[in-house]
Amino acid sequence: GVTIPLAEREINSANRVIDGMARMQDEDPAEHYLTEAGDVRMNGIQAISWARIRDIDSDFGRTSRQRVLADKIIGEFAQKNLLSQGNFTVQDLGQLETNVDRANMIRIGYNSLGVIGTREEYSVPAEGMYYTNFDNWNMIYDPSLQIPALHDFIWNDG
């Protein structure tokens, strides 16, 4: 599990997502419902459901929750000793689908341990660099603004 900062306004929405996710796992949704706001220790169904909330804010809000969840998972993993990390990696890599082979996945993970907690974010499209097509609710970015800003973020060449 992970501890997530749950806002009061997120509870009902999370529980609606929990309802569907628990049923897909042949579990009783009531065993997973969230009841109180605050720092809540969530199981997998609860945490993924919280990160998938769509109806209370924007796509930026939803992807922000997804980043918070990823950070919490990485943080929990980083607190474990190397033996526990290795056991987790070996046991749970089978749950992932990727074209990266197991040896490379372990190498990448091991090499990443030193940078945990140093993540920076950049949203695409960034504020002021897109407009919304209200006919289909697509966000249309301005490549003449977005691409140089993204390059500057990645390579600090601005």
Side-chain angles (χ1 to χ4, degrees):
V2 292
T3 301
I4 299 288
L6 179 66
E8 185 73 35
R9 69 187 191 107
E10 296 172 326
I11 294 173
N12 289 336
S13 294
N15 285 340
R16 283 192 294 275
V17 181
I18 286 170
D19 191 65
M21 288 195 63
R23 291 179 197 284
M24 286 182 356
Q25 301 289 326
D26 292 324
E27 295 193 25
D28 180 3
E31 293 179 14
H32 300 280
Y33 288 147
L34 299 166
T35 58
E36 293 184 27
D39 288 338
V40 177
R41 188 78 176 168
M42 295 185 188
N43 63 33
I45 288 175
Q46 293 167 327
I48 296 294
S49 296
W50 172 80
R52 296 183 72 199
I53 295 171
R54 290 181 172 270
D55 63 349
I56 63 170
D57 49 29
S58 65
D59 189 55
F60 291 118
R62 181 179 61 87
T63 59
S64 175
R65 283 187 290 278
Q66 292 170 356
R67 288 188 301 276
V68 166
L69 177 57
D71 283 346
K72 296 292 185 174
I73 292 169
I74 291 167
E76 292 278 336
F77 183 79
Q79 292 178 14
K80 298 190 178 304
N81 64 45
L82 283 177
L83 181 61
S84 295
Q85 290 173 345
N87 286 338
F88 171 84
T89 303
V90 169
Q91 291 172 359
D92 293 327
L93 276 181
Q95 300 294 320
L96 303 173
E97 288 186 32
T98 178
N99 62 351
V100 179
D101 64 56
R102 183 175 291 236
N104 277 327
M105 183 74 74
I106 292 170
R107 180 189 53 76
I108 291 166
Y110 181 75
N111 290 338
S112 300
L113 291 176
V115 296
I116 289 176
T118 61
R119 179 186 57 82
E120 296 181 43
E121 321 185 342
Y122 184 84
S123 295
V124 175
E127 284 295 327
M129 297 187 188
Y130 70 93
Y131 69 92
T132 302
N133 177 344
F134 293 105
D135 290 334
N136 58 16
W137 289 98
N138 283 338
M139 298 165 70
I140 311 299
Y141 79 99
D142 181 342
S144 69
L145 297 173
Q146 187 73 76
I147 292 171
L150 179 59
H151 284 198
D152 182 48
F153 176 78
I154 294 170
W155 293 291
N156 295 311
D157 62 4

